Amino acid sequence: MPVNLSLKDAMVFGTTGYTAALSIIALEEKGMDIIKNPRILVTGSTGGVGSIALQILSKIGYKNIAALVRKEHQREVAISLATDVIFVNELGVQNKPLNKQKFDFVLDTVGGEIASVLIPQISYGGCMSMCGNAGGIKLTSTVLPFILRGINLLGIDSVNVPIKDRGYIWEKIANEWNISNYSNK
């Protein structure tokens, strides 16, 4: 247990916070960088992983963060965590193998049809991390976003992370990514 993290805070972060941290680390390893001011979308933004991811991203300095929501009542929570709120029905449908490049990085906690619609909207060289399946386990795509735009799809598993890597992640959560007393507004 890191020194700067109480047992209570560790429990509050739990698996959801740990998964959010893993997702952010994976995206940063593939080029997401504060200096580049990337367009980031977080799906499931008012759920556990999504809301913690939004808070961490904001705290560490990302400025161009959109929160994806389904229902109007989620807007208030999402706008308190992100710079923009997008409703699912504003994404359109997956009708083309490549769509307008709207997002540089996507932190997906939903999966299914939402992920399928977003893959063709990821910018050249961008990435999508995937850690959830509340929207379904099927993914429909063509190879074009992967081979013509060079995007990466990053699977996030919080269960089988080697013990040697866990300390690094918990240190980030306990220190520079600690959102225990953080408010971005």
Side-chain angles (χ1 to χ4, degrees), residues 32-54:
M32 187 173 77
D33 187 327
I34 295 165
I35 295 169
K36 296 176 185 173
N37 194 30
R39 297 166 296 172
I40 304 167
L41 178 69
V42 177
T43 69
S45 61
T46 60
V49 175
S51 64
I52 292 174
L54 285 172

Side-chain angles (χ1 to χ4, degrees), residues 30 97-98 101 103-106 115-116 118-129 141-154:
K30 288 295 185 180
L98 294 172
Q101 299 176 56
F103 310 105
D104 300 310
F105 297 92
V106 177
S116 298
L118 288 170
I119 288 171
Q121 297 181 30
I122 297 173
S123 299
Y124 184 86
C127 294
M128 175 188 280
S129 65
S141 183
T142 69
V143 298
L144 295 183
F146 303 99
I147 61 174
L148 295 180
R149 289 193 181 153
I151 70 161
N152 287 281
L153 192 57
L154 312 169

Side-chain angles (χ1 to χ4, degrees), residues 140-185:
T140 305
S141 183
T142 69
V143 298
L144 295 183
F146 303 99
I147 61 174
L148 295 180
R149 289 193 181 153
I151 70 161
N152 287 281
L153 192 57
L154 312 169
I156 304 300
D157 167 40
S158 62
V159 177
N160 294 306
V161 175
I163 195 73
K164 66 180 179 57
D165 298 332
R166 291 176 184 257
Y168 168 77
I169 296 158
W170 279 108
E171 284 296 329
K172 287 192 96 52
I173 291 171
N175 294 295
E176 68 262 33
W177 291 7
N178 191 333
I179 57 169
S180 297
N181 299 311
Y182 176 70
S183 171
N184 68 338
K185 300 291 180 190

Side-chain angles (χ1 to χ4, degrees), residues 17-167:
Y18 186 75
T19 304
L22 285 171
S23 299
I24 293 167
I25 288 168
L27 291 170
E28 287 187 334
E29 287 175 350
K30 288 295 185 180
M32 187 173 77
D33 187 327
I34 295 165
I35 295 169
K36 296 176 185 173
N37 194 30
R39 297 166 296 172
I40 304 167
L41 178 69
V42 177
T43 69
S45 61
T46 60
V49 175
S51 64
I52 292 174
L54 285 172
Q55 291 175 74
I56 292 172
L57 289 167
S58 179
K59 180 176 184 190
I60 61 178
Y62 287 99
K63 303 287 184 212
N64 198 357
I65 311 164
L68 187 67
V69 298
R70 284 191 175 278
K71 300 174 181 157
E72 184 61 40
H73 74 272
Q74 295 172 315
R75 177 189 255 293
E76 188 177 326
V77 173
I79 201 64
S80 72
L81 301 173
T83 53
D84 192 20
V85 174
I86 299 171
F87 285 89
V88 169
N89 62 349
E90 296 171 352
L91 290 177
V93 294
Q94 186 191 14
N95 57 359
K96 295 190 257 181
L98 294 172
N99 285 325
K100 184 178 178 194
Q101 299 176 56
K102 295 181 184 175
F103 310 105
D104 300 310
F105 297 92
V106 177
L107 193 153
D108 178 49
T109 70
V110 177
E113 185 181 346
I114 297 294
S116 298
V117 169
L118 288 170
I119 288 171
Q121 297 181 30
I122 297 173
S123 299
Y124 184 86
C127 294
M128 175 188 280
S129 65
M130 298 185 78
C131 64
N133 61 17
I137 60 170
K138 291 187 179 182
L139 188 60
T140 305
S141 183
T142 69
V143 298
L144 295 183
F146 303 99
I147 61 174
L148 295 180
R149 289 193 181 153
I151 70 161
N152 287 281
L153 192 57
L154 312 169
I156 304 300
D157 167 40
S158 62
V159 177
N160 294 306
V161 175
I163 195 73
K164 66 180 179 57
D165 298 332
R166 291 176 184 257

